């Protein structure tokens, strides 16, 4: 089972120079939690998760969480994105992808093709679809209950 079989191909992307507030609301509207950040040429430049926007590492340098921070468009995506995201490729196995997701405690990974072009996102939700297919096949073969 390959990543390409289960990845989401409909991409919602951001650019590095967009304001984080507008990207946050676009993610909320589209009901997505992870967004690839691309260059003007469409190449992967980084990765942004809703966690980066809700609770960025830089927001609370102290253990005291009493102070609040505000997301506004003066703060750019390049200021909070991960510039070196862990990626998988279309030809990688789901087993490899699951290992990376578990190892890093991620909810999704960007997917690149052989040329290194961003072509999709593989999320935990996508993997549940793969699991559902496996369980249905097992049940159809008379092995499941």
């Amino acid at each position: 089972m390959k990543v390409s079989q289960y990845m989401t191909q409909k991409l919602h992307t951001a650019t590095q120079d967009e304001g984080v507030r507008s990207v946050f609301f676009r993610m909320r509207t589209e009901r997505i939690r992870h967004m690839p950040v691309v260059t003007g040429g469409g190449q992967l430049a980084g990765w942004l998760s809703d966690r980066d926007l809700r609770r960025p590492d830089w927001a609370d340098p102290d253990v005291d969480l009493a102070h609040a921070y505000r997301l506004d468009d003066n703060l750019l995506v390049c200021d909070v994105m991960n510039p070196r995201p862990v990626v998988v490729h279309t030809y990688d196995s789901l087993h490899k992808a699951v290992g990376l997701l578990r190892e890093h405690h991620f909810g999704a990974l960007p997917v690149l093709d052989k040329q290194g072009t961003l072509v999709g996102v593989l999320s935990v939700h996508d993997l549940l679809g793969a699991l559902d297919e496996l369980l249905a096949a097992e049940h159809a073969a008379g092995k499941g209950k």
Side-chain angles (χ1 to χ4, degrees):
M1 299 175 81
K2 299 291 181 204
V3 166
S4 60
Q5 294 172 264
Y6 296 97
M7 69 183 190
T8 298
Q9 294 180 46
K10 181 182 178 191
L11 291 175
H12 298 278
T13 62
T15 60
Q16 299 174 71
D17 59 349
E18 285 186 79
V20 294
R21 184 176 192 279
S22 57
V23 171
F24 173 79
F25 283 108
R26 194 164 75 230
M27 289 172 74
R28 193 167 80 176
T29 299
E30 296 297 334
R31 299 179 63 185
I32 57 174
R33 294 183 309 222
H34 306 90
M35 186 173 279
V37 180
V38 296
T39 64
Q43 293 298 310
L44 183 66
W47 187 250
L48 188 65
S49 75
D50 64 340
R51 188 179 307 160
D52 297 325
L53 299 176
R54 287 183 287 118
R55 206 68 199 113
D57 291 337
W58 48 264
D60 299 303
D62 263 331
V63 227
D64 173 21
L65 303 178
H67 68 281
Y69 69 94
R70 299 181 93 141
L71 286 179
D72 63 34
D73 283 329
N74 292 321
L75 187 62
L76 302 179
V77 167
C78 64
D79 296 324
V80 296
M81 71 179 195
N82 175 354
R84 289 177 295 286
V86 175
V87 302
V88 289
H89 293 86
T90 53
Y91 51 83
D92 286 331
S93 69
L94 284 187
H95 181 72
K96 177 181 179 178
V98 167
L100 289 169
L101 288 166
R102 292 184 69 201
E103 175 185 346
H104 298 284
H105 302 277
F106 292 156
L109 295 166
V111 180
L112 308 179
D113 65 11
K114 288 181 181 177
Q115 291 74 38
T117 303
L118 176 69
V119 293
V121 170
L122 183 71
S123 71
V124 171
H125 182 78
D126 298 324
L127 293 173
L128 285 173
L131 177 61
D132 187 45
E133 282 186 26
L134 284 172
L135 294 173
E138 183 179 278
H139 183 74
K143 297 177 184 176
K145 293 187 180 200

